[in-house]
Amino acid sequence: MDPQNEIRRLWSEAVAQSRGLLQELQQLGIESLHLAEIPDDLPPCPPKVIGVDQGGATPCRQETLEEIRQDLGECSRCALSKGRQQIVFGVGNPKARLVLVGEAPGREEDERGEPFVGEAGRLLDKILAAMGLMRDDVYICNVQKCRPPSNRDPKSEEIAACQPFLRRQLAAIRPDVIISLGRFSSQILLETAAPVGRLRGQWRRCEGVDLMPTFHPAYLLRNPLGKREVWEDMKLVMARLRSPAGGQSDGDRP
Ligand code: URA
């Protein structure tokens, strides 16, 4: 059983027992106890802070995508907030087995508030369709949630401000497979400076999840010959998703 589900099941059992006990005590005339003080669900775990020991004694549950979006709020943690029209948080299935991570919203994504809705996005939809998947089956997001002006590369302070939210999204979804689309997201998620041409086509690990780096659809629009390599990468992803353990196998992990 999934340890998160087991903890929540035990919590529900404990809540039910405590409420029963409290009711009995109230029937005995002890009025100063309040049933409402026992929450139905565990509180969300605080986000991990790199380099800080946050203990672990307090029982908590994995936070949800909605809670992460709420925490992001009308973000002004970096200068990209000044030029954006909308925050582009991510779309798709919160329980997706496959998450695709791009770089940052472009003009159309900034206007619509949804990742990969421009020309590169239409190519991504075709790649997904060839894999037998639709947008609603997967979760799609970017490293950066706001559009960089003139689509320039994000700066280090902008990456530092946004990256924790991406990692929290990945932890909340806990997919079987992540696909990093292009140089930027592959290098950020794998904490490497290696070029995507060297990274692609081989399984990596990120946040305890199998990750396949591949070329960005925008690159494929300029270099259609790269589609052959992307399709090789997608075949590896499909096989991993089909395998009984679905991303939990250890056989060919680095
Ligand atoms: N390119 C990206 O990396 N992400 C988008 O959402 C759109 C284009």
Side-chain angles (χ1 to χ4, degrees):
M1 180 185 268
D2 182 332
Q4 276 282 327
N5 290 342
E6 180 63 1
I7 291 169
R8 290 177 96 166
R9 191 185 64 74
L10 290 171
W11 176 266
S12 300
E13 262 178 38
V15 167
Q17 280 173 9
S18 308
R19 289 212 164 122
L21 184 62
L22 280 176
Q23 261 163 4
E24 280 174 31
L25 289 170
Q26 283 181 335
Q27 279 156 14
L28 290 173
I30 301 170
E31 294 292 347
S32 58
L33 297 163
H34 298 291
L35 299 181
E37 281 167 13
I38 306 175
D40 281 328
D41 203 351
L42 290 164
C45 298
K48 287 197 192 89
V49 183
I50 295 162
V52 176
D53 180 1
Q54 292 165 288
T58 315
C60 57
R61 63 170 168 78
Q62 178 58 56
E63 58 184 348
T64 64
L65 286 174
E66 292 79 37
E67 286 162 344
I68 300 165
R69 179 65 191 87
Q70 239 177 24
D71 186 22
L72 185 62
E74 272 309 300
C75 184
S76 58
R77 291 167 180 82
C78 82
L80 292 184
S81 59
K82 298 199 182 88
R84 71 158 183 249
Q85 289 193 44
Q86 298 188 58
I87 290 175
V88 181
F89 183 67
V91 286
N93 183 347
K95 294 192 173 138
R97 296 184 61 212
L98 176 61
V99 173
L100 297 105
V101 184
E103 177 173 336
R107 185 180 53 78
E108 284 164 279
E109 288 78 18
D110 182 48
E111 276 167 19
R112 297 216 352 226
E114 194 175 319
F116 284 99
V117 289
E119 208 185 345
R122 285 187 283 281
L123 178 53
L124 183 61
D125 287 342
K126 284 186 192 160
I127 295 170
L128 287 172
M131 297 168 75
L133 296 167
M134 298 198 322
R135 272 189 171 233
D136 287 350
D137 297 322
V138 301
Y139 191 84
I140 306 177
C141 57
N142 287 304
V143 177
Q144 300 301 128
K145 311 301 182 208
C146 298
R147 181 190 182 200
S150 314
N151 298 341
R152 65 154 169 76
D153 281 353
K155 296 180 182 169
S156 56
E157 64 272 21
E158 296 158 356
I159 300 167
C162 226
Q163 203 195 145
F165 289 93
L166 170 63
R167 293 196 181 262
R168 284 165 67 184
Q169 283 173 294
L170 295 174
I173 300 169
R174 287 184 299 145
D176 290 330
V177 174
I178 300 167
I179 297 175
S180 54
L181 297 164
R183 170 187 65 89
F184 182 78
S185 64
S186 301
Q187 290 183 344
I188 294 293
L189 286 174
L190 296 173
E191 299 177 89
T192 175
V196 66
R198 253 199 21 232
L199 295 170
R200 61 146 290 275
Q202 288 181 40
W203 287 110
R204 317 274 165 171
R205 292 287 279 172
C206 168
E207 301 288 327
V209 176
D210 289 334
L211 181 145
M212 177 57 67
T214 197
F215 292 132
H216 195 288
Y219 168 85
L220 297 181
L221 293 171
R222 300 188 301 272
N223 303 276
L225 288 181
K227 287 180 190 172
R228 197 176 44 81
E229 284 146 305
V230 169
W231 187 238
E232 292 306 313
D233 303 343
M234 295 308 101
K235 283 196 284 191
L236 293 173
V237 169
M238 289 187 287
R240 179 65 44 106
L241 290 172
R242 267 197 311 268
S243 70
Q248 304 297 309
S249 66
D250 274 314
D252 49 356
R253 273 181 198 157

